[in-house]
Amino acid sequence: MPVKSASKQPTEARQASLIAAALALAAERSPAEVTTAQLAQAIGVTQGAVFRHFESKEAIWLAVLDDASERLLARLLSAAAPHATNGLHALEAVFDAHVEFVIEHPGLPRLVFQELQRPQDTALKANVRQLMQAYRMLLVKLLKRGQAEGLIAQSVDPQTATVVLMGAVQGLVMQALMSGDVAAMRTQAPRVFQLLRAGLSA
């Protein structure tokens, strides 16, 4: 989804406002409990106006996930870019960038975790899978590059290491959401990656 700017049409700007409001509200409560009335109140419009921009609440959450996914993947790629000759440092930068993104947007993991618990297939769940696949591909690429550089042990299986890396972030997030102290991940994440680095290093 586009980000607000002076040149945007009113509809696009209003959609961006609703997406930001939904993500902010999801940081405070379960996304399932967020109502269109609350979204309308958050941006100062009527409930009917919400449905002029999105046909349903699910459409709003789809837009939230699309917007957040695009920004997250861009942030991860940008974090890795300065470490073109060190795959291990690039992995750490990606790990830290993901943690920082969650600290800034705690509503996103709430939305993802809630959706993955639903037994049926949904458009939201399909989009979550696409995000996870793109993330996996980035990590595998960096792991293989680190092996080619001699920085990551050849005995490390990139697919398995990817599961561990993603699981470490998810564990940090779950612990932070349960404790209510999301910012604590800034202190915990470097310690967790230190353990991961020890297992990856050649």
Side-chain angles (χ1 to χ4, degrees):
M1 292 296 297
V3 180
K4 287 189 282 186
S5 75
S7 63
K8 291 205 178 302
Q9 297 299 315
T11 295
E12 294 175 316
R14 189 57 55 79
Q15 287 175 334
S17 295
L18 283 166
I19 288 169
L23 196 54
L25 287 169
E28 303 169 357
R29 67 204 74 180
S30 166
E33 297 173 359
V34 176
T35 66
T36 51
Q38 290 167 342
L39 287 169
Q41 183 179 20
I43 67 167
V45 299
T46 65
Q47 194 170 354
V50 172
F51 290 109
R52 285 199 292 273
H53 298 291
F54 292 102
E55 62 182 17
S56 65
K57 194 164 75 166
E58 182 182 20
I60 296 172
W61 290 124
L62 276 169
V64 168
L65 186 60
D66 286 347
D67 175 71
S69 296
E70 184 178 331
R71 290 190 292 119
L72 173 59
L73 289 173
R75 178 88 65 93
L76 300 183
L77 289 169
S78 178
H83 308 284
T85 59
N86 192 314
L88 192 54
H89 285 173
L91 279 172
E92 183 171 8
V94 165
F95 187 89
D96 291 342
H98 188 180
V99 168
E100 190 62 31
F101 192 87
V102 171
I103 291 171
E104 294 171 11
H105 307 289
L108 179 61
R110 288 183 184 274
L111 175 61
V112 170
F113 291 152
Q114 173 186 280
E115 198 58 31
L116 291 178
Q117 290 178 52
R118 295 175 65 177
Q120 69 271 31
D121 260 340
T122 64
L124 265 170
K125 189 179 286 188
N127 285 20
V128 170
R129 283 197 293 262
Q130 289 178 4
L131 169 60
M132 301 298 275
Q133 180 60 21
Y135 194 7
R136 284 191 203 97
M137 289 173 64
L138 172 61
L139 293 179
V140 168
K141 178 181 177 181
L142 294 177
L143 285 159
K144 289 182 176 179
R145 199 180 85 195
Q147 287 178 319
E149 295 162 346
L151 300 169
I152 294 176
Q154 294 299 317
S155 59
V156 170
D157 173 48
Q159 298 292 341
T160 303
T162 294
V163 172
V164 174
L165 286 161
M166 294 177 71
V169 175
Q170 290 165 359
L172 282 167
V173 172
M174 286 294 292
Q175 181 174 289
L177 292 178
M178 286 189 292
S179 70
D181 186 7
V182 178
M185 287 193 292
R186 284 197 183 98
T187 302
Q188 298 161 349
R191 299 170 184 167
V192 170
F193 196 84
Q194 185 176 6
L195 292 174
L196 296 172
R197 186 193 295 113
L200 294 171
S201 298

